[in-house]
Amino acid sequence: MDEKTIRPLKIEPKFKNLIRPLQRKEYLQLEQNILSDGCRDPIIAWNGVIVDGHNRYEICMRHQIPFAVLEMEFSCEAEVIAWICANQLGRRNISEETRKYLIGKQFEAEKLAGAVKNPNGNNQYSTIDEADVIAPQERDEETHSRSKTAERIAKDNHISKATVEKYAIYARAMDALGEKDAEIIPRILSGQYKIAHKNVVELSKLSPPEIKKVERRIKKMQQPFIQYNQSRNAISEVSEGARGTMAVTSIKDMPAFDPDADINGLALTIPSWSSSIDRVLKRTDLSIISSHAREGLVRQLLSLTDHVSDLLDAIKED
């Protein structure tokens, strides 16, 4: 680690944007602490690019306060991103949306870093291109490694492996959405806009003008926090080509509508699932079942878990 000094460092937006922005009160408190006690914690960097400590760096440069720099070694940008995500996940006060995004982003970054072959070495400007990806004959090993990565991240975050892979889809959708409309990302990650996983994926597939239209509909609600059903309705209206007016159907032509019908039907079937699971637990010796049966059951249970998670997200009221 270097001696404390004042020197310029580079800021990479793709690194900085992974770090939860401080609220104004938090930023002012950090600034006051640095003014009173100096910069105690080093700025973490990779080849002169800030990895962690963007706020400390900005405050120190503005007030000309010396700071130390701790240079870390990474093989490529993907490794840096994975480290930032894991580091942020260890901190408090991050929203559930941010947590999902960071877990998915970490998994994607670690997959990418593991897929790189680079015998000549990388520098800080290295990117991953098709020439670096492993050969087809090594894909079985890559798949095994990817599975192990998902298992490790799942264990670290007390979730299932399938959930890690689901969050990776969420992270990819958020990145695609951010390329079309960067302004909506912090609103989602902060929890201001509650948008369920499948609706984030649907939103990411819309065009930039359509995404802006969704935002305008949400803003018209004039509420500080938008709930899942509100964002879902706004996305559905735009994706289905609605322009603010809905076709009016005569009441006498409409069938009787029961808004609880599907939910009540589902609720009636769930006890039978629970009963079947209890029966298997009581009557089956799981230690002697075949690997084929075991893997099939695990796959279906994880799929069921994902569907349950989606439904809970959709009906959750915060």
Side-chain angles (χ1 to χ4, degrees):
M1 185 165 60
D2 297 342
E3 294 290 332
K4 287 187 177 183
T5 185
I6 300 173
R7 67 183 179 95
L9 296 172
K10 298 174 185 176
I11 296 176
E12 171 53 62
K14 69 178 69 174
F15 298 164
K16 184 178 181 180
N17 292 341
L18 290 170
I19 297 173
R20 180 185 74 88
L22 295 179
Q23 297 179 1
R24 177 171 173 76
K25 192 173 183 180
E26 294 173 318
Y27 184 90
L28 292 175
Q29 183 60 60
L30 176 63
E31 184 174 34
Q32 184 57 50
N33 291 344
I34 291 176
L35 289 172
S36 300
D37 305 322
C39 188
R40 293 183 173 182
D41 297 323
I43 309 298
I44 298 176
W46 172 55
N47 294 331
V49 181
I50 299 176
V51 173
D52 186 69
H54 295 83
N55 293 304
R56 296 194 301 278
Y57 173 75
E58 193 276 332
I59 292 170
C60 288
M61 293 299 287
R62 180 152 44 84
H63 294 286
Q64 292 295 287
I65 296 173
F67 54 88
V69 176
L70 175 60
E71 281 279 351
M72 295 187 67
E73 293 186 6
F74 299 98
S75 65
C76 60
E77 285 185 351
E79 279 195 2
V80 180
I81 290 171
W83 185 92
I84 293 173
C85 291
N87 190 50
Q88 288 295 302
L89 284 165
R91 296 182 175 178
R92 299 178 181 179
N93 302 323
I94 60 173
S95 69
E96 181 60 21
E97 289 78 8
T98 296
R99 177 175 172 271
K100 288 164 56 176
Y101 176 71
L102 290 173
I103 290 172
K105 191 73 174 176
Q106 180 186 353
F107 178 55
E108 289 291 288
E110 291 198 24
K111 281 198 306 179
L112 198 56
V116 174
K117 270 189 172 182
N118 192 16
N120 297 320
N122 286 49
N123 59 37
Q124 69 268 37
Y125 304 108
S126 296
T127 57
I128 295 169
D129 56 37
E130 294 179 357
D132 294 320
V133 178
I134 63 176
Q137 63 267 27
E138 297 175 342
R139 285 183 181 172
D140 287 344
E141 183 178 342
E142 178 193 355
T143 299
H144 177 72
S145 176
R146 186 163 61 244
S147 177
K148 289 293 185 182
T149 298
E151 289 175 0
R152 174 173 49 77
I153 294 175
K155 183 177 180 180
D156 289 344
N157 292 281
H158 310 290
I159 56 178
S160 71
K161 173 185 168 185
T163 300
V164 171
E165 294 171 341
K166 174 184 173 181
Y167 288 171
I169 297 172
Y170 179 83
R172 290 198 298 270
M174 287 290 287
D175 287 345
L177 181 58
E179 291 178 1
K180 298 175 181 178
D181 184 0
E183 294 181 0
I184 198 172
I185 299 302
R187 296 188 178 105
I188 297 175
L189 293 182
S190 68
Q192 181 182 353
Y193 292 174
K194 292 289 188 182
I195 305 180
H197 170 97
K198 66 178 181 181
N199 292 321
V200 168
V201 174
E202 182 179 354
L203 184 60
S204 71
K205 296 176 181 177
L206 299 179
S207 67
E210 288 171 332
I211 294 170
K212 286 295 185 185
K213 189 174 292 184
V214 170
E215 280 209 88
R216 286 196 296 271
R217 291 177 185 274
I218 288 176
K219 288 176 181 177
K220 283 181 180 179
M221 298 173 189
Q222 296 182 342
Q223 296 180 18
F225 290 92
I226 303 301
Q227 302 303 320
Y228 290 106
N229 63 324
Q230 295 171 313
S231 62
R232 181 174 63 249
N233 291 340
I235 295 168
S236 295
E237 288 176 8
V238 173
S239 63
E240 291 170 5
R243 293 298 181 263
T245 59
M246 302 298 291
V248 178
T249 304
S250 172
I251 293 177
K252 67 179 181 180
D253 295 331
M254 295 176 64
F257 174 65
D258 180 3
D260 296 338
D262 289 340
I263 294 299
N264 288 336
L266 178 61
L268 288 172
T269 63
I270 291 176
S272 67
W273 305 346
S274 300
S275 177
S276 296
I277 292 173
D278 288 341
R279 185 167 61 253
V280 167
L281 288 171
K282 290 176 181 177
R283 299 181 181 179
T284 305
D285 184 352
L286 298 176
S287 66
I288 62 173
I289 63 174
S290 69
S291 59
H292 177 74
R294 184 188 304 274
E295 290 171 2
L297 178 60
V298 168
R299 184 166 55 252
Q300 293 302 322
L301 287 174
L302 290 176
S303 176
L304 177 61
T305 299
D306 285 343
H307 287 301
V308 170
S309 177
D310 283 343
L311 185 55
L312 288 173
D313 281 347
I315 65 177
K316 188 189 301 179
E317 292 184 0
D318 292 346

